[in-house]
């Protein structure tokens, strides 16, 4: 199992940006890549020329976006033979508690329920080959064994894998964008050990239902799982 096993997720975060707001969209897409854990803290981003090609923007735009995020503490630029642009480790934390408007919070969480429940149902409804089945279970095991530092990144990759298995490319883009917003909020408050234990048990039920082809059970399990993080988000941010 490795991050290259998520080609649809990579296509989603590295797809071309809009021409009218090239710099802002490039910054946002890079932040999304970091928030989702597609590139882990301490790991390097693709080269500037590769990012420019993927985003369909100039290298100057990419360079300026990278500079903005380096100044904000999200990236580290290194020169020399082993140089490049690396995701900061650790990532910067918000200096003040975050408050999110109730309407915005409920909009994002409502969309998440629709997207992720649909992804779980669609994944469970497909015939999955052995490689896909093994990768999905490995994603669950990686999240279950993760340290607190890596937990949210590996949790995200599990959920994105479920979206990818659904076989609907545009769904992966929507889940990635939605989850990046949620992860930005989750990063403003600490992980709770008992919540991690509960979350891992729910992950096992979700993945087992998908592998068994039980669409109703997969949808019910993921909705129960999402309800737990919704309660935390409302408590910390509302």
């Amino acid at each position: 199992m490795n991050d290259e096993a998520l080609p649809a997720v990579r296509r989603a975060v590295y797809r071309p940006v809009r021409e009218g707001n090239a710099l802002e969209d490039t910054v946002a897409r890079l932040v999304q890549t970091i928030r989702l854990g597609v590139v882990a803290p301490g790991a390097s981003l693709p080269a500037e020329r590769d990012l420019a090609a993927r985003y369909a923007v100039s290298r100057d735009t990419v360079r300026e976006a990278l500079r903005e995020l380096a100044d904000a503490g999200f990236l580290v630029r290194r020169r020399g033979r082993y140089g490049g642009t690396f995701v900061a480790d650790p990532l910067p934390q918000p200096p003040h508690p975050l408050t999110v408007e109730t309407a915005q919070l409920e909009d994002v969480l409502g969309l998440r329920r629709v997207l992720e429940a649909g992804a779980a149902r669609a994944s469970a409804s497909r015939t999955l080959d052995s490689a896909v089945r093994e990768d999905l279970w490995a994603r669950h095991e990686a999240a279950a064994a993760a340290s607190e530092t890596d937990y949210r990144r590996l949790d995200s990759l599990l959920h994105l894998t479920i979206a990818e298995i659904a076989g609907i490319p545009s769904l992966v883009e929507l889940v990635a964008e939605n989850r990046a917003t949620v992860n930005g909020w989750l990063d403003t408050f600490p992980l709770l050990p008992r919540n991690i234990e509960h979350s891992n048990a729910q992950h096992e039920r979700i993945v087992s239902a998908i592998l068994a082809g039980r669409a109703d059970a997969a949808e019910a399990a993921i909705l129960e799982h999402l309800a737990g993080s919704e309660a935390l988000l409302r408590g910390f941010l509302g």
Side-chain angles (χ1 to χ4, degrees), residues 197-216:
E197 293 176 14
H198 190 213
S199 179
N200 286 333
Q202 291 174 328
H203 282 162
E204 183 168 353
R205 289 197 292 274
I206 295 163
V207 171
S208 295
I210 291 172
L211 294 177
R214 298 168 58 221
D216 288 345

Side-chain angles (χ1 to χ4, degrees), residues 118-167:
R121 172 172 283 279
S123 296
S125 300
R126 299 186 70 201
T127 300
L128 308 178
D129 64 32
S130 59
V132 170
R133 296 170 70 85
E134 289 171 6
D135 185 62
L136 177 59
W137 188 257
R139 295 285 176 191
H140 158 58
E141 290 187 324
S147 65
E148 288 191 14
T149 301
D150 287 336
Y151 185 77
R152 282 192 176 132
R153 181 176 72 87
L154 295 175
D155 172 53
S156 292
L157 291 178
L158 170 60
H159 283 260
L160 290 166
T161 298
I162 293 170
E164 182 165 342
I165 290 172

Side-chain angles (χ1 to χ4, degrees), residues 85-105:
T85 304
F86 298 79
V87 177
D89 186 11
L91 288 167
Q93 298 300 313
H96 306 293
L98 180 67
T99 300
V100 179
E101 293 293 331
T102 299
Q104 181 189 8
L105 181 63

Side-chain angles (χ1 to χ4, degrees), residues 12-230:
V13 298
Y14 289 129
R15 69 188 187 279
V17 303
R18 297 171 298 180
E19 293 183 5
N21 299 287
L23 174 60
E24 292 81 0
D25 282 359
T26 300
V27 169
R29 201 66 58 72
L30 288 167
V31 170
Q32 185 182 88
T33 302
I34 295 168
R35 289 294 188 200
L36 292 173
V38 173
V39 180
S44 63
L45 289 170
E48 286 182 4
R49 63 179 178 277
D50 293 333
L51 290 173
R54 296 180 189 192
Y55 294 143
V57 297
S58 69
R59 288 186 66 174
D60 285 343
T61 297
V62 169
R63 193 172 295 118
E64 188 172 352
L66 295 174
R67 186 182 302 116
E68 292 283 350
L69 288 173
D71 290 345
F74 287 91
L75 300 175
V76 177
R77 314 285 306 270
R78 298 175 188 160
R79 298 183 180 278
R81 182 178 179 182
Y82 300 105
T85 304
F86 298 79
V87 177
D89 186 11
L91 288 167
Q93 298 300 313
H96 306 293
L98 180 67
T99 300
V100 179
E101 293 293 331
T102 299
Q104 181 189 8
L105 181 63
E106 295 304 326
D107 179 73
V108 171
L109 296 181
L111 179 60
R112 184 174 70 150
R113 285 193 297 274
V114 171
L115 294 174
E116 298 215 25
R121 172 172 283 279
S123 296
S125 300
R126 299 186 70 201
T127 300
L128 308 178
D129 64 32
S130 59
V132 170
R133 296 170 70 85
E134 289 171 6
D135 185 62
L136 177 59
W137 188 257
R139 295 285 176 191
H140 158 58
E141 290 187 324
S147 65
E148 288 191 14
T149 301
D150 287 336
Y151 185 77
R152 282 192 176 132
R153 181 176 72 87
L154 295 175
D155 172 53
S156 292
L157 291 178
L158 170 60
H159 283 260
L160 290 166
T161 298
I162 293 170
E164 182 165 342
I165 290 172
I168 307 169
S170 59
L171 175 63
V172 179
E173 296 179 8
L174 293 170
V175 172
E177 291 179 3
N178 178 269
R179 193 158 188 91
T181 299
V182 172
N183 282 3
W185 293 340
L186 289 171
D187 286 341
T188 65
F189 55 85
L191 284 165
L192 305 176
R194 290 296 298 276
N195 176 249
I196 292 176
E197 293 176 14
H198 190 213
S199 179
N200 286 333
Q202 291 174 328
H203 282 162
E204 183 168 353
R205 289 197 292 274
I206 295 163
V207 171
S208 295
I210 291 172
L211 294 177
R214 298 168 58 221
D216 288 345
E219 181 179 1
I222 205 163
L223 286 172
E224 179 184 348
H225 175 56
L226 296 178
S229 60
E230 286 180 12

